Amino acid sequence: KAGVTQTPRYLIKTRGQQVTLSCSPISGHRSVSWYQQTPGQGLQFLFEYFSETQRNKGNFPGRFSGRQFSNSRSEMNVSTLELGDSALYLCASSLEGDRPQHFGDGTRLSIL
Amino acid sequence: GIQVEQSPPDLILQEGANSTLRCNFSDSVNNLQWFHQNPWGQLINLFYIPSGTKQNGRLSATTVATERYSLLYISSSQTTDSGVYFCAVRYGQNFVFGPGTRLSVLP
């Protein structure tokens, strides 16, 4: 069974640009969550999608948004990029919200 | 909100030694997971353990939900065990990670 796939693995952008990250969950998993990992703040929850609906949202500005498609694939968008958005963005999938989460390898985003 | 603490923050071991990592949480949680983040940034799911004890090879974990803590035991450590160990809890609808324990196993 294929794991969680995130694309791209690495991305370099400049301030003010926008970026879209993609996450394909494990087959059959309907819940997809996104996290931001930085050295200063650790791993922080961004949002969770279940059956194409955003179920939860962490404490991030509105520049961070996401969506989930009918095949459970999810995208995360960050607009008007800031230097502080440089981070490892991790996606996790699970059968349901309370079941074990399985993580992808992440997208490392660098803002110049 | 909930507070998740992990101790110790850093741990250095010689290969073959045993260790215990601790995770404390400040409120009742729906579930708890332990993860290992390797030096390449990959988060590996170790245990899904809302309560009780589980074992997987050299690793085992115990969660005492009523006392709000979980322990991760690593026996006969190997250099490949190096990395950061996180506990994470499901609190309401959110998933909250602890700050991690950085483990270095020396040959």
Side-chain angles (χ1 to χ4, degrees):
Chain A
K1 201 179 218 183
V4 179
T5 304
Q6 290 188 246
T7 57
R9 289 296 311 280
Y10 303 93
L11 206 49
I12 299 175
K13 292 285 188 179
T14 57
R15 280 180 299 175
Q17 288 186 309
Q18 75 166 15
V19 67
T20 299
L21 312 182
S22 179
C23 173
S24 293
I26 292 172
S27 177
H29 285 192
R30 297 165 62 192
S31 172
V32 173
S33 298
W34 289 89
Y35 299 84
Q36 181 196 65
Q37 186 175 27
T38 60
Q41 300 297 319
L43 271 153
Q44 293 185 288
F45 170 75
L46 278 158
F47 28 66
E48 178 191 11
Y49 286 87
F50 184 85
S51 294
E52 302 179 65
T53 301
Q54 185 180 90
R55 216 154 54 161
N56 302 296
K57 191 177 194 308
N59 190 23
F60 279 82
R63 300 186 297 107
F64 292 81
S65 63
R67 59 179 175 168
Q68 187 179 33
F69 301 96
S70 58
N71 61 359
S72 294
R73 189 178 71 85
S74 177
E75 288 182 346
M76 190 190 91
N77 183 275
V78 188
S79 62
T80 318
L81 286 165
E82 301 176 359
L83 292 177
D85 296 334
S86 294
L88 177 65
Y89 289 88
L90 290 158
C91 163
S93 77
S94 64
L95 281 169
E96 297 172 351
D98 276 351
R99 300 309 297 163
Q101 296 207 337
H102 300 269
F103 281 79
D105 290 345
T107 293
R108 194 167 294 278
L109 175 63
S110 298
I111 311 302
L112 305 179
Chain B
I2 192 171
Q3 303 299 314
V4 181
E5 299 173 345
Q6 291 187 244
S7 60
D10 296 278
L11 188 57
I12 300 175
L13 301 173
Q14 285 296 136
E15 202 168 23
N18 303 328
S19 61
T20 301
L21 282 56
R22 187 177 181 103
C23 172
N24 291 332
F25 39 98
S26 60
D27 203 348
S28 299
V29 298
N30 297 340
N31 66 45
L32 185 145
Q33 283 186 260
W34 282 97
F35 297 92
H36 173 218
Q37 189 168 40
N38 63 25
W40 296 271
Q42 296 170 316
L43 264 175
I44 310 300
N45 191 353
L46 296 176
F47 293 103
Y48 171 77
I49 185 164
S51 64
T53 297
K54 290 187 177 180
Q55 180 155 7
N56 185 3
R58 297 180 297 104
L59 273 59
S60 64
T62 295
T63 296
V64 184
T66 53
E67 298 187 21
R68 299 178 185 167
Y69 73 88
S70 183
L71 302 173
L72 177 68
Y73 306 94
I74 304 174
S75 64
S76 304
S77 58
Q78 301 175 356
T79 56
T80 51
D81 294 333
S82 296
V84 183
Y85 289 80
F86 292 99
C87 67
V89 301
R90 185 82 178 188
Y91 182 65
Q93 295 295 333
N94 292 331
F95 206 60
V96 180
F97 277 79
T101 291
R102 183 174 297 277
L103 175 65
S104 300
V105 181
L106 307 179

